[in-house]
Amino acid sequence: MEYQVGDFLVHEASGVCQIEDIDDMELMGKGSKKTYYCMSPVFKAGAKVFTPTIGSTVRLRPVADQTRFSQILDNIDNIECIHEPNDRMLQERFKEVMGDFTPEALARVVKTVLIRKWQRIESGKKVMALDEKVLSVAGRKLYEEMAFSMGKDIQSVQNMFEDAVKHHSLQSVLIGA
């Protein structure tokens, strides 16, 4: 799919970006010119991202609309948590699900980690560092796109998501130890 200058996209690694230019460039001295999307991440002031228009291993997709995020929030009960008995396998499943590169996949991972975190805290256990890392990555991606689409700030949408999970998922079964 070809995008135009001014389009907002989700960049797999950099989140919501706006295309500022499409230009032929020779990056990293490889000796061959390619056409690149020159983008600015919306939530990283001053940063630039360059992604080839063709043949890139980095995925791009249009930003999901507000309706899609409203449906995620309204149907949070229907988002299935990820269950794995082994923490290492669970971390691998998180990566696999995040690889789907959709807001629903991110919501699934974030919901699972939030419930796991809250259950550990409630039972007097420490929150696992790997869970915090996953929540940091998946949460940032989900909340930034959600904030952009809904015209709200990141903290507001994070609170909305966490409140939806709390109010609708407290009856969830224990996820891991």
Side-chain angles (χ1 to χ4, degrees):
M1 178 174 215
E2 282 197 30
Y3 302 108
Q4 306 299 318
V5 171
D7 287 352
F8 287 94
L9 306 174
V10 177
H11 182 277
E12 187 172 33
S14 299
V16 179
C17 295
Q18 183 175 28
I19 299 174
E20 291 187 336
D21 195 12
I22 301 171
D23 199 7
D24 293 330
M25 291 188 273
E26 192 173 334
L27 295 181
M28 294 189 270
K30 296 206 177 198
S32 63
K33 277 191 173 184
K34 285 186 178 180
T35 303
Y36 286 84
Y37 293 120
C38 308
M39 300 179 286
S40 292
V42 171
F43 295 98
K44 293 179 187 111
K48 297 288 180 208
V49 177
F50 300 93
T51 303
T53 59
I54 297 173
S56 175
T57 58
V58 175
R59 294 182 292 175
L60 300 171
R61 65 169 169 77
V63 175
D65 64 14
Q66 180 175 350
T67 303
R68 192 161 168 189
F69 286 107
S70 294
Q71 288 172 342
I72 288 171
L73 291 170
D74 292 344
N75 297 298
I76 201 81
D77 289 348
N78 299 329
I79 296 175
E80 187 179 331
C81 286
I82 301 164
H83 298 276
E84 286 291 340
N86 175 297
D87 285 336
R88 189 174 308 259
M89 290 174 62
L90 182 61
Q91 299 302 320
E92 288 303 313
R93 277 289 286 141
F94 287 156
K95 289 179 190 172
E96 179 184 316
V97 171
M98 287 172 58
D100 287 348
F101 194 46
T102 65
E104 292 80 7
L106 290 172
R108 185 174 181 209
V109 170
V110 172
K111 176 183 175 182
T112 301
V113 177
L114 284 173
I115 292 172
R116 237 174 94 90
K117 176 181 173 178
W118 296 334
Q119 288 173 339
R120 289 187 67 84
I121 290 169
E122 191 173 310
S123 65
K125 296 179 182 177
K126 288 184 178 180
V127 177
M128 297 185 68
L130 284 172
D131 284 353
E132 289 292 351
K133 184 178 178 184
V134 168
L135 189 57
S136 173
V137 172
R140 177 187 57 82
K141 290 178 180 185
L142 176 66
Y143 301 143
E144 285 182 1
E145 184 177 5
M146 199 171 169
F148 181 81
S149 292
M150 298 180 97
K152 298 183 181 289
D153 63 88
I154 294 170
Q155 190 61 56
S156 294
V157 296
Q158 180 177 345
N159 293 341
M160 286 170 58
F161 187 86
E162 289 180 7
D163 287 347
V165 172
K166 280 180 190 169
H167 289 101
H168 298 282
S169 302
L170 290 178
Q171 72 280 4
S172 294
V173 297
L174 184 67
I175 304 166

